[in-house]
Amino acid sequence: MKGRLEIVYRTPKGAEVAFTSEEMTAAKALLMAEDLQKSGRLKQAIFIDRSEHEWTTKQLKAYLEEIKTEPHNITVYFDGGFDINTRKAGLGCVIYYEQNGKKLRIRKNALVAEMETNNEAEYAALHLAIQELELLGAHHLPVMFTGDSQVVINQLEDEWPVMEKELTSWLDKIEGKLKEMGIQPEYKLISRKNNQEADRLATQALNEVEVTSQSEWK
């Protein structure tokens, strides 16, 4: 979870001033607030998340303690490759997350048939990633979904209209599942160069090389 920290600082003579921080993680915000409290001059500290929900330091500390054993700080990379001759698609996704004090990574790919376009393959790759999140037990938290498809990312953010029937079907399916899981999605468009891991998995799937792995990373 990310947001901003709003504080009210009071000098020994009683003068007060309010500050608002740049966006930061909840863990960093708590660290900063607790450090400022040690000075004895912090009158108030409120963390405001991206949904404009306000958290006291006590509430924030309880939240961070609660999610330690659950998957959190999740970033998903997804990519789809399409073979126009066979109408097969290779789907690839990589999920980075934290749990029990460890940084973990899931890599997964799949080969599917009867796709219509590369854009449909991209949607299918995102849907595969969401299925993996569900298996992981991720729920009721923000998740960053990252991909290199300008069409898919802009359609998910309601920047571009969805005209194709098959893409509308995928979009409805994805949004329905995210709502069911309580996932608050954030979308980020990146270059293909920065999406190489998911792209490689999609290519391996097209070559009928199956990959399913979970590992720790630093």
Side-chain angles (χ1 to χ4, degrees):
M1 178 168 64
K2 291 186 177 182
R4 64 187 187 275
L5 185 63
E6 294 192 353
I7 65 172
V8 176
Y9 183 85
R10 180 165 51 194
T11 69
K13 292 185 177 181
E16 295 181 359
V17 64
F19 293 100
T20 300
S21 75
E22 60 184 15
E23 186 174 81
M24 62 179 74
T25 64
K28 184 176 180 181
L30 181 62
L31 178 67
M32 298 302 295
E34 289 182 332
D35 188 66
L36 285 166
Q37 282 176 337
K38 292 176 184 177
S39 70
R41 298 178 183 178
L42 183 66
K43 181 180 179 182
Q44 178 179 284
I46 297 293
F47 180 75
I48 303 175
D49 64 27
R50 287 178 171 177
S51 299
E52 295 300 313
H53 179 74
E54 296 186 357
W55 303 71
T56 64
T57 53
K58 184 178 179 180
Q59 291 170 330
L60 197 57
K61 189 172 185 177
Y63 167 78
L64 291 171
E65 190 65 32
E66 181 183 343
I67 68 169
K68 274 185 180 179
T69 59
E70 298 182 359
H72 58 280
N73 289 343
I74 302 173
T75 299
V76 173
Y77 292 83
F78 67 93
D79 195 37
F82 178 63
D83 186 333
I84 194 170
N85 295 315
T86 63
R87 291 179 58 204
K88 290 182 179 180
L91 317 180
C93 69
V94 186
I95 302 171
Y96 288 92
Y97 66 102
E98 295 178 26
Q99 188 173 16
N100 294 318
K102 296 181 179 180
K103 293 183 177 182
L104 302 166
R105 177 184 68 173
I106 289 174
R107 299 168 67 241
K108 174 72 175 178
N109 71 358
L111 179 65
V112 295
E114 299 183 4
M115 291 278 115
E116 297 295 332
T117 64
N118 188 73
N119 288 332
E120 187 179 8
E122 294 279 1
Y123 270 108
L126 175 55
H127 187 259
L128 174 68
I130 294 169
Q131 288 179 313
E132 289 300 307
L133 287 177
E134 187 172 31
L135 291 172
L136 185 61
H139 62 92
H140 296 92
L141 79 174
V143 174
M144 176 65 75
F145 293 97
T146 309
D148 59 39
S149 171
Q150 195 172 26
V151 170
V152 172
I153 296 296
N154 280 302
Q155 288 179 342
L156 288 165
E157 291 191 313
D158 292 327
E159 295 292 334
W160 292 4
V162 185
M163 309 299 291
E164 299 86 348
K165 184 179 179 180
E166 66 272 11
L167 299 189
T168 300
S169 177
W170 280 109
L171 184 62
D172 290 344
K173 191 183 301 185
I174 286 166
E175 291 183 338
K177 178 56 71 174
L178 291 175
K179 185 177 181 180
E180 177 187 321
M181 294 168 63
I183 298 294
Q184 301 124 48
E186 301 171 39
Y187 300 105
K188 183 178 180 181
L189 181 65
I190 59 173
S191 67
R192 187 165 186 174
K193 180 182 178 181
N194 291 328
N195 201 30
Q196 288 183 357
E197 198 171 13
D199 176 71
R200 189 179 305 114
L201 287 167
T203 301
Q204 287 174 313
L206 279 173
N207 292 327
E208 300 186 11
V209 177
E210 184 178 351
V211 177
T212 301
S213 70
Q214 184 181 41
S215 60
E216 192 171 351
W217 65 282
K218 295 181 180 180

